[in-house]
């Protein structure tokens, strides 16, 4: 066996496929995507501000209290978990994990740069930048990363500056990966239940605070933009609300994740959420695909600036169905999503098989 063949076999073995994948992680990632599109579609199609007292206004408030700043937190946290799994598997195979991860981040940076041209609020570009800052934390112990991540998260929440939550969430995800929570959920169920209970209590407190600090003009929170003619009272109200929104989003996302993990311990729930698992396995493809579908749909049907909140939500539901069906169909024949495969090629600088063999396993041809 020559050296080139050995390298191909080693690199092929590094990708988590089949039973190596952690289905719960994919399902939670898919769940995060469901909420992200509900928020992203609003600026992408310039969805109309609701009329006070309308059904749209109720949906607007539901987004503020149940979706906004919740699913972004989950998606960011999972990046940290994925970072640990990627580096650990690379090290276990004797590969240079640092070089591989740097190339992985550079590829993500390129994806984000292109995506940012069409979606200014996209996360991939920011993830790649903060990803470089995450690398040194791999050398720290799990408990240390947990403490550092929580302290940084609480500090950022106290400022209300949501973009800076990315690094603390990465570190917390790394810590959970180091503890091995997703690799052995039954062993960590008691701790997961405790986190769920604490998060539930803090969530109730946070929702009350968010409601209490809701600005007199609730629709002002849609853009969170400070304008020159804003009064000092309005600015103060917006500041308090933003802090409450960010802090509540942080603890509420923990409640969402722990609740979903507990539900997934039942086989019936696992089967019912199988489409969501496939959706999460192709997270990169589906995340970018959401933007493409939204922009194409808006252009073809002239929806930009004309859709209401309810209409945009129905559009998102249609995208859910289409992307989940596509993900399940695609993964029945291929090992990973198309963008995931491109990402992998750039990471390893090797063109590895994409199509499964006749037995449903990866092909070595």
């Amino acid at each position: 066996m020559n050296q080139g063949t050995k390298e191909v076999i080693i690199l092929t073995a590094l990708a988590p496929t089949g039973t190596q994948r952690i289905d719960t992680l994919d399902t939670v990632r898919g769940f995060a995507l469901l909420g992200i599109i509900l928020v992203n579609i609003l600026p992408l199609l310039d969805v109309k501000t609701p009329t006070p007292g309308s059904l749209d206004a109720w949906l607007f408030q539901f987004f503020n209290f149940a979706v906004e700043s919740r699913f972004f937190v989950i998606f960011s946290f999972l990046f940290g978990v994925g970072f640990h799994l990627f580096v650990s598997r690379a090290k276990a195979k004797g590969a240079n994990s640092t070089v591989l991860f740097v190339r992985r981040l550079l590829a993500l940076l390129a994806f984000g740069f292109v995506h940012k041209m069409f979606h200014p609020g996209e996360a991939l570009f920011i993830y790649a930048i903060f990803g470089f800052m995450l690398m040194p934390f791999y050398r720290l112990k799990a408990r240390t990363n947990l403490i550092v991540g929580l302290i940084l998260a609480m500090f950022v929440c106290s400022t209300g500056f949501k973009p800076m939550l990315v690094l603390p969430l990465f570190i917390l995800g790394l810590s959970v990966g180091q503890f091995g929570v997703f690799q052995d959920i039954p062993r960590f169920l008691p701790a997961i239940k405790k986190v769920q209970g604490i998060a539930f209590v803090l969530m109730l407190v946070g929702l009350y605070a968010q409601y209490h600090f809701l600005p007199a003009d609730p629709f002002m929170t849609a853009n969170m933009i400070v304008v020159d003619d804003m009064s000092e009272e309005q600015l103060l109200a917006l500041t308090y609300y933003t802090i409450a929104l960010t802090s509540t989003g942080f603890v509420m996302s923990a409640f969402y994740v722990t609740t979903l993990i507990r539900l997934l311990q039942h086989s019936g729930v696992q089967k019912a959420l199988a489409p969501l698992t496939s959706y999460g396995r192709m997270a990169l493809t589906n995340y970018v695909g959401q933007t493409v579908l939204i922009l194409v749909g808006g252009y073809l049907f002239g929806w930009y600036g004309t859709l209401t909140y309810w209409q945009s939500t129905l559009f998102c539901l249609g995208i859910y169905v289409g992307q989940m069906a596509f993900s399940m169909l695609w993964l029945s024949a291929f090992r990973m999503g198309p963008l995931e495969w491109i990402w992998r090629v750039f990471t390893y600088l090797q063109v590895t098989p994409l199509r499964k063999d006749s037995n449903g396993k990866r092909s070595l041809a």
Side-chain angles (χ1 to χ4, degrees):
M1 183 181 294
N2 60 43
Q3 185 63 28
T5 303
K6 288 181 179 179
E7 289 179 357
V8 172
I9 293 176
I10 290 174
L11 293 176
T12 300
L14 285 176
T17 57
T19 57
Q20 283 184 285
R21 292 203 65 94
I22 302 174
D23 287 342
T24 298
L25 201 57
D26 288 329
T27 308
V28 176
R29 189 178 288 114
F31 176 69
L33 283 174
L34 296 183
I36 287 173
I37 188 176
L38 292 173
V39 175
N40 284 348
I41 194 174
L42 302 177
L44 284 174
L45 290 185
D46 191 25
V47 175
K48 294 190 296 185
T49 301
T51 303
S54 65
L55 290 176
D56 255 25
W58 284 101
L59 187 58
F60 170 87
Q61 291 300 352
F62 172 78
F63 284 171
N64 276 344
F65 285 91
V67 180
E68 176 66 40
S69 298
R70 276 67 169 167
F71 293 85
F72 149 81
V73 171
I74 299 173
F75 207 56
S76 302
F77 165 78
L78 293 176
F79 184 95
V81 179
F83 164 72
H84 175 266
L85 293 174
F86 178 87
V87 173
S88 298
R89 284 167 175 160
K91 286 181 177 293
K93 297 295 182 180
N96 190 324
S97 60
T98 300
V99 171
L100 289 177
F101 192 67
V102 167
R103 288 207 295 255
R104 188 172 178 81
L105 288 177
L106 290 175
L108 188 65
L109 194 69
F111 277 127
F113 180 78
V114 175
H115 193 212
K116 198 175 182 66
M117 295 179 183
F118 303 94
H119 179 18
E122 75 93 36
L124 302 180
F125 193 80
I126 297 175
Y127 280 9
I129 294 174
F130 278 107
F132 287 104
M133 300 174 64
L134 177 65
M135 294 175 66
F137 289 92
Y138 185 85
R139 299 179 181 273
L140 301 180
K141 294 181 178 180
R143 190 175 297 275
T144 302
N145 280 326
L146 178 62
I147 294 172
V148 171
L150 285 173
I151 291 174
L152 288 177
M154 288 188 289
F155 172 74
V156 174
C157 286
S158 69
T159 68
F161 191 53
K162 187 176 70 172
M164 291 305 296
L165 258 182
V166 172
L167 182 59
L169 290 168
F170 280 6
I171 297 172
L172 288 173
L174 169 60
S175 173
V176 168
Q178 290 174 315
F179 278 117
V181 175
F182 282 95
Q183 295 92 316
D184 190 5
I185 290 176
R187 183 163 69 92
F188 286 93
L189 269 181
I192 290 172
K193 291 177 182 179
K194 289 180 181 178
V195 173
Q196 182 190 34
I198 294 172
F200 179 71
V201 173
L202 293 177
M203 178 185 74
L204 295 180
V205 174
L207 288 173
Y208 172 78
Q210 190 177 335
Y211 177 78
H212 178 75
F213 290 117
L214 191 67
D217 178 8
F219 303 120
M220 183 175 66
T221 65
N223 297 316
M224 294 292 181
I225 296 176
V226 177
V227 294
D228 294 335
D229 60 349
M230 185 177 289
S231 67
E232 184 176 344
E233 183 179 354
Q234 287 178 315
L235 181 59
L236 192 61
L238 185 57
T239 300
Y240 287 150
Y241 180 81
T242 305
I243 293 173
L245 174 66
T246 305
S247 302
T248 306
F250 177 73
V251 295
M252 200 166 182
S253 65
F255 176 74
Y256 283 167
V257 171
T258 50
T259 300
L260 182 56
I261 289 174
R262 291 189 63 185
L263 289 173
L264 286 169
Q265 302 315 297
H266 304 281
S267 59
V269 175
Q270 293 175 15
K271 292 178 181 178
L273 296 183
L276 190 61
T277 305
S278 297
Y279 192 50
R281 281 189 63 184
M282 291 174 49
L284 178 61
T285 296
N286 287 321
Y287 175 68
V288 174
Q290 288 176 353
T291 302
V292 173
L293 292 172
I294 289 171
L295 293 179
V296 170
Y299 175 78
L300 291 179
F301 301 104
W303 285 342
Y304 186 84
T306 65
L307 289 185
T308 65
Y309 268 69
W310 279 105
Q311 290 170 334
S312 69
T313 302
L314 290 175
F315 186 21
C316 288
L317 292 176
I319 292 176
Y320 293 161
V321 174
Q323 286 194 319
M324 285 186 195
F326 172 74
S327 297
M328 295 186 74
L329 182 63
W330 179 275
L331 292 174
S332 67
F334 300 97
R335 297 172 54 220
M336 62 190 76
L339 291 189
E340 283 77 10
W341 181 76
I342 294 173
W343 194 13
R344 174 176 166 73
V345 169
F346 275 101
T347 299
Y348 299 110
L349 300 182
Q350 291 280 352
V351 178
T352 53
L354 176 60
R355 182 179 292 275
K356 294 179 179 178
D357 63 21
S358 58
N359 295 319
K361 299 177 181 179
R362 64 173 181 265
S363 172
L364 297 178

